[in-house]
Amino acid sequence: MKLRQQAQTMPPKEKTVDGFAFQPTPTISLTDIAQQAERAVNMMAQIRSAMLAPTARKAPPVYNLSQLAAMCGIEKSSLSHRLSKGDLPSGRLNASGSRREFSLPEARGWIREYRKDCLRPKGGEAVTISVGNFKGGVSKTTTAVTLAQGLSLLGHRVLVIDTDPQGSLTTLFGILPDTEVSEDDTILPLAMGTETSIRYAIRNTYWDGIDLVAAAPVLFGAEFALPARQTQEPGFEFWRVLDLGIDDVRDEYDVILIDTPPSLSYTTINAFMASNGIIMPLPPNALDFASASQFWSLFSDLTGELLTKRGLTKDFDFIHILLARVDSTDAATNIVRQWIGQTYAEKVLPVEIPKTAVTGVASAEFGTVYDVAQYDGSARTFKRARDAYDSFVGHIEGSIRMVWKRQTDALAGRVLNGSTEPKATVSHSGSATTNSKGAKR
């Protein structure tokens, strides 16, 4: 008996196949995978508890007088003078009494006052933007979250919708998709037809000015629910579910951002069809360039099947290509950058997001450059990263304001013509098309 027990505890003998020596390994059962999944969830909980102290929830940064003045676009002395009037939040002194600090809601109050001419005009509605790419690891989710934060720091009110079952964007907002997001917190009820407005799933976040519709693995069910409804419900158009679902809240937000799965899925198509514009983060390397080419080819083929053959159309106000994760030390970067410029021409934004230690550290702590209150590394490196994102956000705000101008011009034209109702373009089947604003007609 003792010999048998010893034999069972001894490591397996090394085997040789065609001269190659290897250790035999046991097979992996579904139970093993379930246990591994449980360990991964537990580890995520431990990591978040360590990173997101003290309440295991993310906290927004605070801003000093100089930072607030810069965000308002005024001199520090002008801000100090305005403080004396007492009509805007006064902030509070820090613990040592050495400086005045402003919370994010307080800072946004100042920003909205000083940038009121840049905010959504009367007659404008939320501009919907999808961030998408066929390939993972291209900073798609980081781009979406950073854009949402950056726009909120310009005074805009933003709704972010996570349509990726992996829930990476949801995680960046300090929420664990596996344990803290239920089916009713996602767009799945919308996809299944049990809800017609997305309002049920909207939740507040730690970041003032940004609301969230979360995602979780259960959202994979949308990839089965939508095609099932397409075959079972006469006249159903699966690609318009999200578009119609956000109609109810368009007047409550300035911008609606949609983070999509790294594939051309049913939910990705829904996101694109609901959008005024598309942003594609694209690192300048050959594999990502090839993947993006496949993405646009497939998207073109699908829209041809879904819309063109039905006599419908869809116009986008803008499509932007963002050079992301740009590694200046990579010799091939300049070559691929030229390919991208020749392929996408004016769609390429005149700003690049560098691959820096700042973004790596922020991601490891479930954050972005806008979450960083004080960077421990090189101030120059941090400024380079922050300036790049500020420039990116500024360009997107320009596109958003362009859309608002088109909306208000169209509204003014309808009023002059004696009608306040939008003109509908009806397909051959009698169903409404999607207009250039992404809104239902």
Side-chain angles (χ1 to χ4, degrees):
M1 180 63 72
K2 289 182 179 179
L3 289 174
R4 186 178 296 113
Q5 289 176 340
Q6 289 176 352
Q8 290 174 347
T9 58
M10 290 177 62
K13 292 183 178 180
E14 200 173 71
K15 293 187 177 181
T16 303
V17 175
D18 294 333
F20 176 73
F22 68 97
Q23 289 279 3
T25 57
T27 58
I28 301 171
S29 68
L30 293 178
T31 301
D32 295 328
I33 294 175
Q35 291 172 348
Q36 178 64 69
E38 184 178 357
R39 289 195 297 273
V41 170
N42 291 337
M43 180 57 71
M44 279 297 300
Q46 293 176 33
I47 292 171
R48 196 188 69 174
S49 295
M51 295 292 187
L52 308 181
T55 61
R57 293 295 176 193
K58 294 183 70 172
V62 295
Y63 304 95
N64 60 36
L65 282 171
S66 297
Q67 291 170 324
L68 180 57
M71 290 190 290
C72 292
I74 60 176
E75 295 295 328
K76 184 177 176 180
S77 57
S78 298
L79 191 147
S80 299
H81 176 70
R82 183 64 183 268
L83 266 174
S84 64
K85 293 186 177 182
D87 61 334
L88 287 171
S90 59
R92 61 191 56 81
L93 293 176
N94 62 3
S96 64
S98 59
R99 67 177 184 178
R100 185 168 296 276
E101 295 179 335
F102 297 81
S103 67
L104 178 59
E106 291 171 333
R108 292 190 70 249
W110 280 81
I111 293 166
R112 288 183 64 83
E113 169 64 22
Y114 277 88
R115 300 193 78 249
K116 54 190 174 186
D117 293 338
C118 301
L119 302 181
R120 178 163 58 104
K122 184 178 180 180
E125 65 178 17
V127 176
T128 305
I129 303 171
S130 285
V131 182
N133 196 302
F134 206 43
K135 189 172 177 292
V138 296
S139 296
K140 177 177 60 63
T141 297
T142 301
T143 298
V145 175
T146 309
L147 178 58
Q149 292 173 322
L151 288 172
S152 76
L153 291 175
L154 293 178
H156 303 295
R157 182 163 174 75
V158 184
L159 172 64
V160 182
I161 304 174
D162 192 352
T163 65
D164 185 354
Q166 295 180 72
S168 298
L169 180 141
T170 300
T171 302
L172 281 178
F173 278 97
I175 301 166
L176 287 181
D178 297 291
T179 58
E180 298 179 322
V181 180
S182 68
E183 175 182 313
D184 291 338
D185 297 320
T186 73
I187 65 167
L188 184 56
L190 203 62
M192 296 177 68
T194 56
E195 296 281 356
T196 57
S197 168
I198 204 167
R199 187 179 299 278
Y200 69 92
I202 296 175
R203 63 168 75 189
N204 296 328
T205 69
Y206 77 101
W207 193 279
D208 183 70
I210 302 178
D211 288 344
L212 170 70
V213 175
V218 68
L219 191 51
F220 274 118
E223 299 304 312
F224 302 96
L226 290 170
R229 291 181 65 190
Q230 185 68 32
T231 59
Q232 295 168 5
E233 300 179 23
F236 178 70
E237 297 173 329
F238 79 84
W239 57 91
R240 296 202 63 211
V241 168
L242 188 54
D243 180 25
L244 298 175
I246 63 177
D247 269 354
D248 189 36
V249 300
R250 289 185 196 271
D251 290 336
E252 299 172 26
Y253 295 94
D254 302 314
V255 183
I256 300 175
L257 289 175
I258 308 173
D259 187 35
T260 62
S263 63
L264 201 53
S265 63
Y266 284 94
T267 51
T268 302
I269 295 168
N270 259 275
F272 283 6
M273 291 299 102
S275 296
N276 301 83
I278 298 173
I279 297 173
M280 173 182 275
L282 181 57
N285 66 63
L287 289 177
D288 289 317
F289 177 80
S291 178
S293 300
Q294 294 172 346
F295 182 94
W296 292 114
S297 295
L298 285 173
F299 182 60
S300 177
D301 292 342
L302 276 171
T303 52
E305 291 292 327
L306 296 176
L307 301 179
T308 307
K309 288 187 177 181
R310 289 176 166 84
L312 306 175
T313 188
K314 165 69 180 178
D315 296 323
F316 294 98
D317 287 290
F318 58 85
I319 293 176
H320 291 316
I321 307 298
L322 172 67
L323 291 178
R325 295 177 59 83
V326 178
D327 184 357
S328 57
T329 64
D330 187 348
T333 293
N334 286 333
I335 297 174
V336 182
R337 186 190 282 113
Q338 292 176 8
W339 297 350
I340 294 172
Q342 292 171 2
T343 303
Y344 299 105
E346 75 284 349
K347 294 182 178 68
V348 182
L349 288 169
V351 58
E352 298 182 359
I353 305 300
K355 183 179 181 180
T356 67
V358 177
T359 52
V361 170
S363 296
E365 297 180 354
F366 303 125
T368 73
V369 293
Y370 291 119
D371 282 301
V372 178
Q374 185 174 0
Y375 184 58
D376 293 332
S378 166
R380 182 178 178 182
T381 301
F382 177 77
K383 186 178 185 302
R384 177 170 166 243
R386 176 66 184 259
D387 287 350
Y389 276 110
D390 285 345
S391 178
F392 163 59
V393 173
H395 279 94
I396 300 305
E397 189 195 34
S399 295
I400 291 167
R401 293 176 65 185
M402 176 193 68
V403 178
W404 283 335
K405 186 176 188 309
R406 289 176 180 171
Q407 292 174 352
T408 54
D409 287 350
L411 179 62
R414 290 197 296 270
V415 172
L416 286 174
N417 290 330
S419 171
T420 58
E421 294 296 323
K423 297 180 181 179
T425 302
V426 182
S427 70
H428 298 305
S429 63
S431 61
T433 66
T434 302
N435 66 12
S436 64
K437 296 186 294 182
K440 178 179 66 176
R441 287 188 170 187

